[in-house]
Amino acid sequence: MEEKENISMKQGEEGYTRSTLAKKMTSMVKPVVANAVRSLFSRESHPHEVLSIADLGCSTGPNTYFSVISTVIESVESKCQELSFQVPELQFYLNDLPSNDFNTLFKGLTGLLQRQEGKNIFVMGAPGSFYGRLFPRKSLHLVHASHSGHYLSQVPSGLKSKEGLPLNKGRIYISKTSPPSVRKAYLDQFQEDFTLFLKSRAMEMVPHGHMILMLLGRESTDPANMESCYMWELLAEAISDMVEQGLIAKEKLDSFDVPFYTASSEEIQGVVDKEGSFSIDHMQLFAINHFADVVEGEDTWVKAERVCKVIRNFTELSHHFGEEILDKLCDKFANILVENIKKELPMNITNILVVLSRKAV
């Protein structure tokens, strides 16, 4: 399946990567990564000569890939010392779409790698879509993907009628007013994509290797629940306002849908069970407020602008609506966000942490 390169796999915006929210997510995943690494070693197993780790959808923000590399190094060294094993060579693969700024990514690694000088640690980029093969067979021991798995490979194909007319008029994602066929189209696309993701990783991972996924999801069984749709509803409202002002054609709104899906834990479990190559060792849901990453003393407008930057970076807004209208649209969206922040409405997002093990072949 071909993935459009202008769909960002992850939040590469500086406003996100420097946020306390991102750091909080990283701190939650760190012990999970450490435990997964340590479980790859035992007195009964033959010591690894090379340990290969892939970080998928790494973008350019240092909070995740920097922490993953550091945690893996620390965990391998401590476990090998405990077992009196020689520390293996470590091969890290950093993956994102070819349009990602890999130059910035590797510049950000300079300090970390300098501190590890003299050790057998290798880092290379692996551009390409993770909805398909990226690595040789049975070459990976650990796979990590943070906040990238909720992006679909494409806008679902079932969002138009047989006559080619849009079925989700006035909305850009699943909503309470969306017909059942829209919900089904999104679920079908998620199941197809996630199945392909698992099949690809199954071929690339060694038996009993581990995969750690962090993705946006939902607690509710209803995909139109506000926890899943809140930001997209507000963005659709901003676009609708500009349609009413004559700044955007109504057809542009009706034909725009985001390639994104917040799955429930049951939907994730269902795909894993059906695909059959992995077992789920652990699954955890936790909610964090959309504005949990506020900077002390930061005013409401700055908070809203930061969220707007992230949304702008995620979607194909400029490609679909035109670069010339984007600033006005983002200003409108930020104004709507400010009003909602002032109302102090609950704006929680559900995150799902999944730890999987590759079954023995």
Side-chain angles (χ1 to χ4, degrees), residues 118-219:
K119 301 177 182 179
N120 292 320
I121 298 172
F122 307 91
V123 184
M124 65 174 60
S129 169
F130 53 48
Y131 292 122
R133 288 286 303 278
L134 288 166
F135 308 103
R137 286 181 177 271
K138 298 182 180 180
S139 61
L140 299 179
H141 300 85
L142 178 68
V143 172
H144 171 267
S146 179
H147 289 97
S148 51
H150 41 254
Y151 294 105
L152 302 176
S153 65
Q154 61 183 27
V155 173
S157 57
L159 296 180
K160 292 183 178 180
S161 67
K162 292 180 179 179
E163 295 75 26
L165 301 175
L167 298 174
N168 203 28
K169 290 185 178 181
R171 294 288 177 259
I172 63 174
Y173 183 60
I174 302 169
S175 74
K176 292 292 185 183
T177 60
S178 298
S181 57
V182 170
R183 301 184 184 202
K184 183 180 185 300
Y186 269 98
L187 176 58
D188 288 349
Q189 188 66 53
F190 167 75
Q191 291 173 333
E192 179 182 335
D193 285 350
F194 195 41
T195 298
L196 181 57
F197 176 88
L198 293 174
K199 285 185 180 296
S200 300
R201 303 296 82 76
M203 287 187 276
E204 296 164 350
M205 294 181 67
V206 300
H208 308 297
H210 298 300
M211 182 156 60
I212 300 166
L213 307 178
M214 176 78 85
L215 62 161
L216 298 183
R218 66 179 198 274
E219 292 187 45

Side-chain angles (χ1 to χ4, degrees), residues 5-224:
E5 291 189 8
N6 54 349
I7 298 175
S8 175
M9 278 187 180
K10 196 156 140 205
Q11 299 167 336
E13 190 69 45
E14 181 183 8
Y16 171 81
T17 58
R18 295 179 59 186
S19 72
T20 55
L21 176 57
K23 292 175 182 177
K24 183 174 183 179
M25 297 292 188
T26 300
S27 68
M28 295 184 71
V29 175
K30 184 173 181 176
V32 179
V33 173
N35 288 335
V37 171
R38 292 174 65 85
S39 70
L40 295 172
F41 298 84
S42 70
R43 296 189 186 281
E44 292 73 32
S45 64
H46 186 75
H48 299 285
E49 292 185 4
V50 179
L51 205 67
S52 295
I53 304 97
D55 189 12
L56 306 181
C58 65
S59 187
T60 58
N63 280 330
T64 50
Y65 72 76
F66 191 95
S67 177
V68 169
I69 293 175
S70 300
T71 302
V72 169
I73 294 172
E74 294 167 5
S75 302
V76 168
E77 291 178 346
S78 64
K79 189 64 177 179
C80 287
Q81 183 177 19
E82 175 188 322
L83 298 176
S84 299
F85 284 176
Q86 182 175 344
V87 176
E89 295 185 349
L90 299 178
Q91 172 66 67
F92 292 94
Y93 298 99
L94 302 181
N95 156 262
D96 212 312
L97 294 173
S99 55
N100 186 54
D101 188 352
F102 282 91
N103 287 333
T104 297
L105 188 157
F106 279 94
K107 285 178 182 177
L109 277 173
T110 303
L112 172 63
L113 296 179
Q114 285 177 344
R115 290 192 293 274
Q116 305 296 332
E117 192 173 354
K119 301 177 182 179
N120 292 320
I121 298 172
F122 307 91
V123 184
M124 65 174 60
S129 169
F130 53 48
Y131 292 122
R133 288 286 303 278
L134 288 166
F135 308 103
R137 286 181 177 271
K138 298 182 180 180
S139 61
L140 299 179
H141 300 85
L142 178 68
V143 172
H144 171 267
S146 179
H147 289 97
S148 51
H150 41 254
Y151 294 105
L152 302 176
S153 65
Q154 61 183 27
V155 173
S157 57
L159 296 180
K160 292 183 178 180
S161 67
K162 292 180 179 179
E163 295 75 26
L165 301 175
L167 298 174
N168 203 28
K169 290 185 178 181
R171 294 288 177 259
I172 63 174
Y173 183 60
I174 302 169
S175 74
K176 292 292 185 183
T177 60
S178 298
S181 57
V182 170
R183 301 184 184 202
K184 183 180 185 300
Y186 269 98
L187 176 58
D188 288 349
Q189 188 66 53
F190 167 75
Q191 291 173 333
E192 179 182 335
D193 285 350
F194 195 41
T195 298
L196 181 57
F197 176 88
L198 293 174
K199 285 185 180 296
S200 300
R201 303 296 82 76
M203 287 187 276
E204 296 164 350
M205 294 181 67
V206 300
H208 308 297
H210 298 300
M211 182 156 60
I212 300 166
L213 307 178
M214 176 78 85
L215 62 161
L216 298 183
R218 66 179 198 274
E219 292 187 45
S220 173
T221 57
D222 180 8

